Amino acid sequence: MKFRTEYKVERSDVVLNPEREVMLLGSCFADNITKRMVRCRWDAVNPFGVLFNPLSIAEAVNLALLPENEGQQTAEASLFECEGIWHSWLFDSGVSARDKATSETRIAEALNIFRSRIVKIEALFVTFGTAWCYFLNATGDVAANCHKQPQSLFTRRRIGIEEIVSVWKTLLEKLHTHNPTLQVIFTVSPVRHLKDGFVENMRSKATLILAVEELCKRFDFCRYFPAYEILNDDLRDYRFYAADLAHPSEQAVDYIWEIFQETYLDPAGRQRLKEGEKLTRRAEHRTIIT
């Protein structure tokens, strides 16, 4: 008798090399995978922090692809001050600071990391979290983070499949020009956006999944990794969620991480990550002197 339907791993035709650099963008799920890669000594970076929606992720990338001065000036124009803290509508709180100059420096560092790495990385991982976006009423621009500002400043709207595909089609063409060997691996975050309600959360995720499907059809260097489906159709139990019942538990992320390795790494690559994690554990070890 079976009580669970397990995901059957399908080896990708793209085989990644853990000795080459990779970059990750998107929701907090991307941040979790970045930490696991780094722990295994894989040179991985998430330069823009947590960005939930496809338009904001694309906007950050487009800024980094502009000439350096132009991209920086555009980013700096997004800064605003509230109660002594400077924030940016284009980035998460990682660039926020008590003085404007520090925020500007943090933005410049993020853009420069992307700009310097995009030409040489093997793979770019992009995780879409939600199709719900907040647009600034004053400008009509999408806000990557509302920074707890009044709801009256924004118009909230769920973007559509065609809108996502249109923006990302142009962006993927640009990325391929900068790095013709780049592989792009999309995921949809399994994190549940419960504030949207059950129905709207599912519609949002469906929009993202269908948009990614269309992009993967159009570009042969794009792939889809089913993190969302693994949690919802394989694990599908609240014991695999954190206490908030929205984010996957550490055990669930570890499970998805294992499937990811089996999908995109050959035996030699997986062995290299095991050895890298062993080195990290040794470095963390502290001898107790009595």
Side-chain angles (χ1 to χ4, degrees):
M1 185 178 295
K2 293 184 67 175
F3 293 95
R4 173 175 159 228
T5 52
E6 295 186 32
Y7 174 76
K8 183 178 180 181
V9 178
E10 297 181 7
R11 288 291 305 276
S12 173
D13 57 336
V14 173
V15 179
L16 301 179
N17 180 359
E19 295 184 0
R20 293 191 59 186
E21 299 174 32
V22 294
M23 190 154 50
L24 298 92
L25 306 174
S27 77
C28 49
F29 180 75
D31 221 33
N32 282 328
I33 296 300
T34 303
K35 291 174 183 176
R36 279 161 176 75
M37 288 179 168
V38 171
R39 184 171 179 80
C40 295
R41 304 298 176 95
W42 196 341
D43 191 354
V45 64
N46 178 3
F48 300 136
V50 177
L51 300 175
F52 293 105
N53 72 79
L55 300 187
S56 291
I57 301 170
E59 180 66 18
V61 174
N62 276 316
L63 282 177
L65 294 179
L66 288 172
E68 185 172 348
N69 289 339
E70 185 179 347
Q72 184 67 20
Q73 289 174 2
T74 303
E76 289 177 3
S78 73
L79 290 168
F80 69 97
E81 186 269 337
C82 179
E83 297 182 355
I85 304 293
W86 285 88
H87 305 283
S88 168
W89 294 122
L90 299 177
F91 299 96
D92 73 357
S93 57
V95 305
S96 299
R98 291 196 174 276
D99 61 280
K100 188 179 182 182
T102 300
S103 288
E104 292 173 347
T105 299
R106 289 173 179 174
I107 289 172
E109 289 173 349
L111 296 177
N112 286 332
I113 289 172
F114 185 95
R115 193 177 292 116
S116 64
R117 289 206 176 207
I118 191 59
V119 296
K120 59 183 177 179
I121 58 173
E122 180 177 30
L124 175 67
F125 300 90
V126 181
T127 301
F128 293 160
T130 180
W132 282 101
C133 296
Y134 288 81
F135 296 87
L136 287 161
N137 292 330
T139 63
D141 296 331
V142 66
N145 194 305
C146 295
H147 300 291
K148 299 181 180 179
Q149 297 303 297
Q151 180 69 41
S152 59
L153 295 179
F154 310 96
T155 295
R156 181 173 178 269
R157 175 172 66 85
R158 191 180 72 229
I159 56 177
I161 297 169
E162 297 81 5
E163 194 171 356
I164 298 169
V165 172
S166 176
V167 169
W168 274 86
K169 173 182 177 295
T170 303
L171 182 55
L172 288 167
E173 290 169 349
K174 287 183 185 178
L175 290 171
H176 207 242
T177 299
H178 283 76
N179 184 344
T181 63
L182 179 69
Q183 297 293 325
V184 179
I185 299 173
F186 287 100
T187 61
V188 169
S189 172
V191 176
R192 306 164 73 206
H193 289 252
L194 296 179
K195 289 183 179 179
D196 296 332
F198 286 2
V199 174
E200 291 303 335
N201 174 65
M202 292 301 290
R203 287 173 177 166
S204 168
K205 299 293 186 182
T207 299
L208 300 176
I209 291 169
L210 291 173
V212 170
E213 179 190 31
E214 184 61 31
L215 291 169
C216 289
K217 285 179 180 178
R218 296 191 185 196
F219 298 96
D220 60 6
F221 58 90
C222 292
R223 301 291 185 278
Y224 176 65
F225 178 69
Y228 176 83
E229 292 81 356
I230 292 169
L231 182 58
N232 285 275
D233 291 326
D234 180 343
L235 300 180
R236 59 181 303 120
D237 191 296
Y238 277 114
R239 65 195 166 114
F240 295 111
Y241 284 87
D244 64 1
L245 301 181
H247 289 76
S249 67
E250 287 293 312
Q251 185 182 24
V253 177
D254 285 339
Y255 180 72
I256 295 171
W257 170 233
E258 288 175 8
I259 293 178
F260 172 87
Q261 293 181 66
E262 292 180 36
T263 302
Y264 293 107
L265 299 177
D266 60 18
R270 295 198 294 274
Q271 181 60 35
R272 189 186 184 299
L273 291 189
K274 287 182 181 179
E275 292 170 358
E277 187 168 20
K278 286 180 182 178
L279 290 174
T280 299
R281 287 176 179 171
R282 287 174 189 168
E284 293 172 343
H285 178 72
R286 296 290 183 271
T287 302
I288 300 176
I289 301 176
T290 58

